Amino acid sequence: MPKTPPEPLFIAPLPTPLGPAQIVFDAGGVLRAFDWDSHQDRMDRLLARHYGPVGLTPAAAPKALADPFAAYFDGAVEALKTIAWTTGGTGFQQAVWRALCEIPAGVTWSYGQLAAHIGAPRAVRAVGLANGANPVGLVVPCHRVIGANGTLTGYGGGLDRKRWLLAHEGAAFRLAG
C-alpha cells in the first residue's frame, strides 16, 4: 500500500558541534527526521520508507525545534524531550522508539534491556533493526543503546559521534579493544 506523505515537508540545516545536520519537519513544526549532512542518503531512505516519495522544501528551522537542539548541545541534555515528533513505522518500531525516549540522558541500556522493556525479551535483533531504522535520531535517543558488555555498538551517525553524545550526556560506556 503506498504511503501518503504529510504535506508539505520542510528541511532546514542545523549546525552542531559534531558537524552540520538537517531536520525535516511538517507545516505544524513537528519533527519528522533528523540526520547528519554526511548521512543524507540514509535520511532519504528512511523518509521514503516511512512516507513514500517526498519532496522537501528548504525553510528556516522553527524556534520550537532549533532552540532545544541548541540547548542540548550547550549542555542542557534533557532539552530534546520538549520536541514534538512523529514518524511512520510498524507497531513494533513505534514501541521501540517510545521505549528509547524513556532512557534518560546519561543512562545507557543494552539491546537486551530494551527488548525486555517492551515485553519482547527474545527480540533483541528486531530491536536492533528498529533502533537502526529510527528517522528522528538524537530526539529519539537511539545512541543510548550499547552492547551487553557495555561497549559501543553501531550508530547511524558513526561511532565517533555516538561516543561524543554519550560523553556529553555523562553516560558510562567502555571502548572496545
Side-chain angles (χ1 to χ4, degrees), residues 27-166:
V30 175
L31 184 69
R32 299 296 183 135
F34 166 92
D35 218 328
W36 312 100
D37 278 8
S38 57
H39 292 78
Q40 177 72 44
D41 290 344
R42 177 186 125 80
M43 185 171 74
D44 291 343
R45 277 192 314 275
L46 290 175
L47 284 168
R49 184 180 303 157
H50 294 296
Y51 303 114
V54 296
L56 301 175
T57 302
K63 188 172 176 52
L65 296 177
D67 287 356
F69 277 108
Y72 172 84
F73 285 112
D74 283 344
V77 296
E78 295 288 346
L80 299 178
K81 287 184 171 229
T82 66
I83 291 177
W85 63 272
T86 192
T87 186
T90 66
F92 182 81
Q93 288 172 325
Q94 294 286 336
V96 170
W97 300 333
R98 282 190 305 273
L100 286 169
C101 291
E102 295 177 31
I103 306 172
V107 174
T108 58
W109 288 1
S110 70
Y111 291 95
Q113 285 174 291
L114 186 55
H117 185 76
I118 65 166
R122 299 179 67 169
V124 174
R125 286 190 179 170
V127 162
L129 290 172
N131 201 43
N134 170 18
V136 285
L138 200 52
V139 174
V140 172
C142 51
H143 63 280
R144 295 181 187 153
V145 181
I146 61 175
N149 62 358
T151 58
L152 297 184
T153 56
Y155 175 62
L159 286 181
D160 286 343
R161 283 189 178 114
K162 182 172 186 164
R163 182 179 301 113
W164 190 96
L165 292 168
L166 290 175

